[in-house]
Each structure stands twice: as C-alpha cells, then as structure tokens.
Amino acid sequence: MTTTTTNVTDLYPTRGATEVATPRQDPVVWGGPDTPGPVSAGDLEALERDGFLAVDQLIGPDEVGVYQRELERLITDPAIREDERSIVEPRSKEIRSVFEVHRISEVFANLVRDERVVGRARQILGSDVYVHQSRINVKPGFGASGFYWHSDFETWHAEDGLPNMRTISVSIALTENHDTNGGLMIMPGSHKTFLGCAGATPKDNYKKSLQMQDAGTPSDEALTRMASEYGIKLFTGKAGSATWFDCNCMHGSGDNITPFPRSNVFIVFNSVENTAVEPFAAPIRRPEFIGARDFTPVK
C-alpha cells in the first residue's frame, strides 16, 4: 500500500506495523556516460553494483592538517559545545558530532565546494546538488560509542521527506582508519533493497537517535539475512582517504576501545531534483541543521 505526502507517492513504506522489504525503484548512478566528472566508468559500475566507492587519497596530507586543526578548534569552542548542532556522548559528555559544519566553518564550506568533492556528487547524481546534511564526527579512543546498523535513506525518507534514492554521502577520514578503531562497515549490495522498519516514529525522535539509534532500526533477523547474503566490508585507510556510499547502504560502526582516535567529515549531497517534501513517516520534520530545507545548489 502506498501513501502520499504533498502529492508525492511513497515508493518506500516504512515505520509501519511490520518490517517490509521493497526492491529499489531508483538508479544508483543517475549521470549518463557523457556526464562530466572525475569518477571513471569502471568506478561508476562498481558503485552501481556495490553501493560504495573508496578513494585512497581524496585530499592530501597538508590539507588533512588544515581540517584536523579546524575540527579541533570547533570541538574545543565553548560556544560550539552549547550550540544545539553539537551532539555529545551520553557517557563521556564529549562532543560526538557537530552538524551543519559547512555553515559554521568557512574551512569546511570550502571543502564542500571543492570540485574533487562536489564534482563527484554531481556526476553520480546527474544534476546540480545541495547539501542535505554535513557534520564532523569525533570518535576518540577508549570508549567512543558506535552507531548501529541502519540505512540513512530510511531515516531521510521517513523523517526528512526525501522522496527518492538520489542522494550520495562521502566520509573523508581526518585520522587513520584502522581495522580496530570503530571504522565504517557496509554490506555490499544491500542498497538494492529498501528495508522498511517496524514501529512508529516518536515526536522529536532525532534528540535520541543522534546518540543511539532506536526508531528505524532493522530487526536482528533481517540483519542476519542481509549479512549472510551480502557480507560485510570494513573500510580502512590513511587520513585523507574517502568512502562514497549510496544513501540506502546498510551500514554501521562499532565502539572505539583502542587508544587511536577516529575522526571524519561527513557530507550528504542530494539532487536538486529530489528536494524534500513533508516526512513520509514522522509527525514533524527534523530541524533544518539535520535535514536541510535550503535547496540552493553548491557552486
């Protein structure tokens, strides 16, 4: 059964009484063979097939230092800590994420506009793009918590109102990603099936979900089936490496109990032809610093 919101058909039902799997209705790569951009044809094919694309060095070592210093400046600024866009760890009370970082920081705004970054997004999505969400993530050693398995699109569709899967994320490492310090894990190929989760969305769900996922969480049974079918890929790499991944990839990360911190900048690009409508499965919209309502293209 489909529903509509502001006359837009809901292709991906979720947050109902039961968990429902729906085959993907959208392309992964929207750009055609003549769409300009830095991604090779072979890499575009791999992205279509696997749902992700790893880039060994998206930014250089000197640039990494610039972004590391800016991250440190932001997370040690008392005004930033008190800002609602900062999310703190429940146990340590240290900053976990700072949202809308491309509006807070001109340094990160320049990164968003960098053609190595936005050029890839335009090529993959086949259109101009805007920033649906940006944030820096800080995962210090000795106990920083992970994030449970989920599809970003499930949340962005249910709570932000993105109609179609025409959204791509990039995670750029600002510290080395070891195989032990809570790195990103993705189930390759999982982006081809949308898993509609069971359970209604509480009002102001974002206040809890940004610290610990609850609504929009797949069942253990579904995750076991998907992991058995697709396997799990763990991403490692030097600072400056990047992982591009489709909005519907099933992914998560573990706790970091090592001494080695893991920090990254995370940017979500959405097509200007896929702008948000009203939420498909939530009583209210999330705040704009989490799900943007300014659809101005990145230039």
Side-chain angles (χ1 to χ4, degrees):
M1 178 179 177
T2 60
T3 60
T4 60
T5 178
T6 58
N7 299 317
V8 177
T9 301
D10 184 358
L11 299 175
Y12 301 104
T14 190
R15 312 278 175 104
T18 59
E19 195 172 59
V20 179
T22 302
R24 187 187 183 108
Q25 307 294 304
D26 297 303
V28 178
V29 176
W30 291 73
D34 298 326
T35 305
V39 187
S40 69
D43 282 345
L44 290 173
E45 290 176 6
L47 176 64
E48 183 79 36
R49 180 188 67 240
D50 298 329
F52 60 81
L53 177 62
V55 179
D56 287 338
Q57 188 174 68
L58 184 64
I59 58 175
D62 291 344
E63 296 171 288
V64 168
V66 171
Y67 298 119
Q68 287 175 333
R69 289 189 291 274
E70 181 68 356
L71 180 147
E72 186 65 23
R73 182 187 73 82
L74 292 172
I75 66 173
T76 55
D77 183 337
I80 297 294
R81 183 181 181 85
E82 295 303 315
D83 194 296
E84 66 174 344
R85 291 172 287 190
S86 293
I87 310 301
V88 299
E89 286 279 355
R91 288 173 293 184
S92 70
K93 304 303 180 183
E94 294 182 0
I95 287 182
R96 174 191 180 111
S97 300
V98 179
F99 280 81
E100 214 172 39
V101 71
H102 70 296
R103 295 193 182 277
I104 294 174
S105 163
E106 187 61 26
V107 172
F108 285 112
N110 289 335
L111 179 62
V112 166
R113 293 190 291 261
D114 191 310
E115 278 299 313
R116 293 171 295 179
V117 178
V118 70
R120 281 177 164 86
R122 291 192 194 105
Q123 182 183 8
I124 291 165
L125 300 181
S127 70
D128 278 336
V129 297
Y130 71 93
V131 176
H132 177 70
Q133 185 187 106
S134 73
R135 66 180 188 261
I136 48 173
N137 294 321
V138 185
K139 211 172 202 180
F142 300 119
S145 55
F147 215 82
Y148 200 67
W149 291 103
H150 65 286
S151 154
D152 286 332
F153 180 75
E154 194 279 337
T155 297
W156 299 338
H157 182 70
E159 300 186 40
D160 297 340
L162 294 193
N164 294 93
M165 295 180 184
R166 198 171 179 179
T167 314
I168 190 80
S169 301
V170 60
S171 175
I172 305 172
L174 300 182
T175 53
E176 184 165 357
N177 285 267
H178 303 282
D179 58 3
T180 53
N181 65 341
L184 175 67
M185 296 182 288
I186 291 178
M187 298 184 187
S190 59
H191 63 303
K192 295 297 183 70
T193 301
F194 176 76
L195 188 63
C197 298
T201 309
K203 186 178 180 181
D204 290 344
N205 178 58
Y206 78 94
K207 293 181 179 178
K208 179 180 178 182
S209 67
L210 295 179
Q211 293 180 327
M212 184 174 293
Q213 189 85 349
D214 188 9
T217 301
S219 68
D220 291 352
E221 293 77 13
L223 289 171
T224 299
R225 288 194 302 270
M226 295 179 82
S228 298
E229 180 176 357
Y230 301 120
I232 296 172
K233 164 73 174 175
L234 170 65
F235 290 88
T236 60
K238 299 287 187 182
S241 62
T243 305
W244 291 84
F245 59 102
D246 178 79
C247 58
N248 191 45
C249 284
M250 190 63 67
H251 67 287
S253 64
D255 295 351
N256 182 14
I257 61 172
T258 76
F260 309 114
R262 175 180 172 262
S263 298
N264 69 302
V265 54
F266 180 73
I267 307 162
V268 180
F269 293 101
N270 188 38
S271 169
V272 296
E273 299 172 10
N274 187 45
T275 55
V277 295
E278 291 304 310
F280 286 87
I284 59 172
R285 301 175 182 177
R286 297 196 298 174
E288 291 194 26
F289 68 84
I290 301 175
R293 295 280 161 171
D294 179 352
F295 310 133
T296 305
V298 177
K299 298 294 185 184

